[in-house]
Amino acid sequence: MTNTDYTDSDSLYLGFDLSTQQLKIIVTNDKLAALKSFNVEFDVAFKEKYGVHKGVLSNEGGEVVSPVGMWLDSMNNVFDQMKKDNFPFEKVVGISGSCQQHGSVFWSNEAQPLLKKLNKDEDLSSQLKDAFSWDKSPNWQDHSTNPEGEAFVKAIGREELAQITGSRDHLRFTGLQIRKFATRSHSEKYAQTSRISLVSSFVTSVLLGQIDGLEESDACGMNLYDLEKGEFNEELLALAAGVHPKVDNITKEDPKYQAAIEDIKSKLGEIKPINYTASGNISSYFIEKYGFTSQCKIYSFTGDNLATILSLPLQPNDCLLSLGTSTTVLLITKNYEPSSQYHLFKHPTMPNHYMGMICYCNGSLARERVRDEVNEKYQIEDKKSWNKFNEILDNTGKFDNKLGIFFPLGEIVPHAPAQTVRAVLENENIVECDLETHGFGVDHDVRAIVESQTLSCRLRAGPMLSKSAESSNVTPEPESSNVDLKKTYDDLINKYGELYTDGKKQTFASITARPNRCYYVGGTSNNMSIISKMGSILGPVNGNYKVEIPNACALGGAYKASWSHLCEEKGEWIDYDKYINKLFEVNNELDSFECEDKWVEYFDGVGLLAKMEETLLK
């Protein structure tokens, strides 16, 4: 390993990223400079011991789990690497991090005493082998909980569940996994469970040497937590525990019901509200074994997507678009406007704010198929070349009332099977058409796929951004907005009728909401033709930015640690967006790009896509 000079840094911070396939730890300083990273890949280091493939164990029943002992081994492994590298552990003043979301860890009754008496001369996994009632943890890829999903929907309803918890039922979510564990797969082990952690609070527990409470923003991914009330929902707890009156035929008057509710509350423990206060100081095990000081603070860890938004200077109404095999939109909002088609989590460092998340299955694969058709038509020798695709896209004019919906795979948002739909607006009527009819050729597919994917993001982000803009001081009126938006909206509704997205009516506020800034990451962000087109449609008020954040989750954790530590030092809350903006100058550090503002022009695209989804999708 190369030597890193830490002499100029009085205080260091560690950011963990415990993902499906590796543990990475990044080192930062007070200036948010990333100094060095260390990692271990699970398949490389632990395949023989645990039998994992791509970090997990899976079976034909859809069960996908991770060995908890492997995570403990990975902590020793990375800290051992750092020790061999002569890393100055004594300079570390704060640790936080990111972990894969939704996974649960089931502690045994022996957990607390075992955590407290760890011996520095032995590794973690051998000393904590009896600390778990089950030595596995469900992974986010697990899809073995269909019966549990059906139970949650039957008892609560899909939209109602989203209204309470910020998300509809998802097979990977912790509440469904706990119900399966308690009632179907491991009921005896559930009875022997003293506490249930998320992966994020599991890691903090190990570092602290005592079981830590759940972190509030990560707890929003459980289908158990009432976001608006800030507490667990009793009816959802009853579902998870297997004592729901409607589903499990156990009345609330039955002593078994109340005992089960109290038991699951005790197992889940407290929810730690969004704050900067440390969970405690690092355990003596890590002090004696690696040389941390007793003053090193452990701050609550959070989920991976939540940590990602902490790695950039995102302000209210900012959108982060991750353009990979799938497309994920993350945004910051003050507006709690839940839907079954996306997620809302409490923001991990900004009280009274939420992180919205929209996940699309069809991203680059759909665009690549159109690219391949174009290259075949023009007999391009390099089949993977984007040059012709980009040339066509760059030369497109105004929106021409033609759109396509391209789902080579079944789509999550909107929920639909694999299909391709093309349509044109002719004489105020939406006419479905085939390729090479109605002026819709292969060349037109190029603009249609980029337009429809972007318009879908715009439609679904609108409700989350709408009311947030009214109370935000970061979203001024754009200079290009000399348009009478009320008239534009009225004309749109007169032309298309009332617009609905995923069964919910779009309003003037949601249709006319604009992002503050848009950031583009992932493989497709390197294609300037595509992201310029996206930027012109999304119309952010304060610009578009292309960014590269290869260690986003770990960096977000490290920044959370340094922000928390500074807040504690000063004894006051420092606004996170101001903190990171001060140290991370947007205009200097990030790559902004110019594109023509066609936000108003694409109101027609908004109307056409909404009606195509409503009337033409199978």
Side-chain angles (χ1 to χ4, degrees), residues 313 517 542 545 581 584-592:
R517 293 188 178 99
N542 285 315
Y545 297 85
N581 253 319
F584 199 150
E585 289 296 331
V586 177
N587 295 326
N588 296 330
E589 301 290 338
L590 300 178
D591 187 7
S592 66

Side-chain angles (χ1 to χ4, degrees), residues 128-162:
L128 294 175
K129 63 181 185 298
D130 295 325
F132 309 102
S133 57
W134 190 40
D135 61 356
K136 308 290 191 299
S137 173
N139 179 264
W140 61 270
Q141 299 169 92
D142 187 282
H143 52 283
S144 65
T145 54
N146 276 303
E148 288 70 32
E150 291 168 5
F152 271 66
V153 172
K154 178 182 178 182
I156 308 294
R158 187 152 280 155
E159 287 295 337
E160 292 78 6
L161 187 61

Side-chain angles (χ1 to χ4, degrees), residues 434-492:
D434 294 322
L435 195 61
E436 306 303 345
T437 67
H438 296 265
F440 213 127
V442 170
D443 285 23
H444 200 283
D445 276 357
V446 171
R447 69 178 299 174
I449 188 169
V450 178
E451 288 172 336
S452 64
Q453 288 183 336
T454 310
L455 286 166
S456 178
C457 297
R458 176 169 158 175
L459 265 170
R460 290 173 169 87
M464 289 186 275
L465 296 175
S466 58
K467 297 169 190 172
S468 184
E470 297 167 10
S471 56
S472 172
N473 58 7
V474 297
T475 309
E477 277 296 310
E479 293 177 10
S480 60
S481 264
N482 305 330
V483 180
D484 184 343
L485 287 181
K486 188 68 171 71
K487 182 180 184 305
T488 304
Y489 172 78
D490 289 342
D491 290 346
L492 182 71

Side-chain angles (χ1 to χ4, degrees), residues 301-318:
F301 283 40
T302 192
D304 47 13
N305 288 300
L306 294 153
T308 298
I309 63 172
L310 300 182
S311 67
L312 284 168
L314 297 183
Q315 298 177 327
N317 290 26
D318 283 353

Side-chain angles (χ1 to χ4, degrees), residues 5-19:
D5 187 1
Y6 300 103
T7 55
D8 291 338
S9 302
D10 293 329
S11 299
L12 299 176
Y13 303 89
L14 301 185
F16 278 52
D17 176 20
L18 178 57
S19 63

Side-chain angles (χ1 to χ4, degrees), residues 308-309 311-312 320 520-522 547-553 555 584 590:
T308 298
I309 63 172
S311 67
L312 284 168
L320 173 66
Y520 304 85
V521 301
V547 294
E548 292 184 22
I549 40 173
N551 296 313
C553 295
L555 277 174
F584 199 150
L590 300 178

